[in-house]
Amino acid sequence: MSAPQDTIPRDAAPVSIVAPISFGRRLKDVLVRGLVWLAFAIAVVPLVSVIWLVVKNGLARIDMTFLTHSMRNIAPRDAGGGAYHAILGTLEQVLIATVISVPIGLLTAIYLVEYGNGRRLARSISFFVDVMTGIPSVVAGLFVLAFWILVLGFGFSGFAGALALSILMLPTVVRAAEEMLKLVPNELREASYALGVPKWKTIVRIVLPTALTGIITGIMLAIARVAGETAPLLLTVFFTSSINPDPFNGPQMGLPLYIFDQMGRPNDTAIARAWAGALTLIVIVMLLNLVARLIAWWRAPAKGR
């Protein structure tokens, strides 16, 4: 007996088995989409407004004189002067803070993820990192002022400011690196161990390159956080109108201090310099983020060679 043949005609239209979407579900979808766009606008509009205000007021004063001259022998009402000494100070202070905090934060994150599972020391470190995350910036400045300047007697300097900034950077670096290391699949580690590779070499050659993009992003977030801090610098760096390229000797200006100082002077020329300093600070942070993105893209494991 022959097998039964299909009774459905070959030219028949396909029958849809998906139920039509009800009006209530469509309405809910529209409402949720509208709420998402509203939340996006609430978050973005103030940010765009601030950026536009800084760019509009800062461009009027940005020129080569502003970028290549200091405020030495410039009276508050004089039209000249610039922020070269503050730009140099900010770059040096942030660089020193990064050199201090990134290795310590990265090694701490490696210990917490790779070696500290369930250990009391790891739990204590994680607790103190959480506490440091909520420390006000002025407290970090007060600590450096009390210990480094008053007790040890080293005096105001860019390095003292960098120490305060590194305290603020450290918990952000630790948490960002820790979360990125946790995202690395355990299969990669196990495959490396199966080939007889030591654990330290697995971390250096496999784990860190895989999490490098996220770690760099976390470092840049930490740098962006401390680059505009004013309170720690007020207590540790102090004010100067001269160029001081030595961060270990004498007061050294920074862009946040420069903006704070110029905004406090009741005349239009000083306020214009403050707006230009704010725009310069934003540009510096954006350039650092761009460089970090390029490095992360260049070193990404998935990028084609």
Side-chain angles (χ1 to χ4, degrees):
M1 184 177 179
S2 61
Q5 296 182 354
D6 190 4
T7 58
I8 301 177
R10 294 184 178 181
D11 56 350
V15 179
S16 176
I17 60 176
V18 179
I21 300 176
S22 63
F23 174 77
R25 294 181 62 184
R26 291 179 182 272
L27 181 61
K28 291 179 181 178
D29 180 70
V30 172
L31 290 176
V32 171
R33 287 175 180 268
L35 291 176
V36 170
W37 279 106
L38 179 62
F40 175 77
I42 292 174
V44 170
V45 168
L47 176 62
V48 174
S49 176
V50 170
I51 293 177
W52 168 250
L53 190 64
V54 174
V55 172
K56 176 184 176 182
N57 292 280
L59 283 178
R61 183 60 181 81
I62 289 285
D63 52 25
M64 290 305 300
T65 300
F66 181 82
L67 298 176
T68 58
H69 288 72
S70 68
M71 290 297 295
R72 185 176 178 85
N73 299 325
I74 301 296
R77 296 184 180 275
D78 292 345
Y84 175 77
H85 61 309
I87 296 172
L88 180 64
T90 293
L91 293 177
E92 290 184 352
Q93 293 157 22
V94 171
L95 177 61
I96 294 173
T98 303
V99 171
I100 294 173
S101 60
V102 169
I104 298 175
L106 188 56
L107 291 175
T108 303
I110 291 174
Y111 171 77
L112 293 176
V113 176
E114 303 294 336
Y115 296 97
N117 295 329
R119 297 187 180 182
R120 182 178 300 177
L121 178 60
R123 292 196 298 269
S124 300
I125 292 174
S126 182
F127 170 76
F128 283 110
V129 169
D130 292 336
V131 172
M132 290 178 64
T133 303
I135 289 179
S137 59
V138 68
V139 175
L142 284 172
F143 171 75
V144 175
L145 173 67
F147 178 73
W148 185 260
I149 297 177
L150 299 182
V151 175
L152 299 182
F154 283 104
F156 297 103
S157 64
F159 182 73
L163 289 177
L165 296 181
S166 65
I167 295 174
L168 300 175
M169 285 185 63
L170 190 58
T172 305
V173 174
V174 172
R175 278 289 169 254
E178 182 183 3
E179 295 302 322
M180 290 302 104
L181 292 176
K182 287 180 180 179
L183 292 178
V184 177
N186 286 327
E187 288 78 7
L188 295 178
R189 299 180 177 89
E190 294 171 357
S192 179
Y193 298 152
L195 296 175
V197 180
K199 187 169 185 175
W200 69 269
K201 188 173 289 186
T202 300
I203 295 172
V204 173
R205 297 290 184 87
I206 304 297
V207 178
L208 288 180
T210 304
L212 181 63
T213 302
I215 292 174
I216 292 177
T217 301
I219 293 172
M220 294 313 304
L221 289 175
I223 292 175
R225 178 196 174 188
V226 303
E229 289 289 350
T230 306
L233 301 185
L234 281 171
L235 301 172
T236 57
V237 177
F238 210 61
F239 293 94
T240 179
S241 59
S242 302
I243 300 173
N244 181 14
D246 185 2
F248 301 96
N249 185 21
Q252 186 184 51
M253 201 63 162
L255 275 174
L257 288 180
Y258 180 84
I259 298 167
F260 178 80
D261 179 52
Q262 296 298 315
M263 286 296 293
R265 302 178 183 273
N267 59 83
D268 294 338
T269 56
I271 293 176
R273 285 193 290 262
W275 282 113
L279 179 59
T280 304
L281 183 60
I282 292 176
V283 171
I284 289 175
V285 173
M286 292 180 62
L287 290 177
L288 291 176
N289 276 277
L290 178 61
V291 171
R293 294 290 183 181
L294 292 176
I295 294 175
W297 172 81
W298 177 55
R299 298 297 299 174
K303 188 175 76 73
R305 299 291 182 182

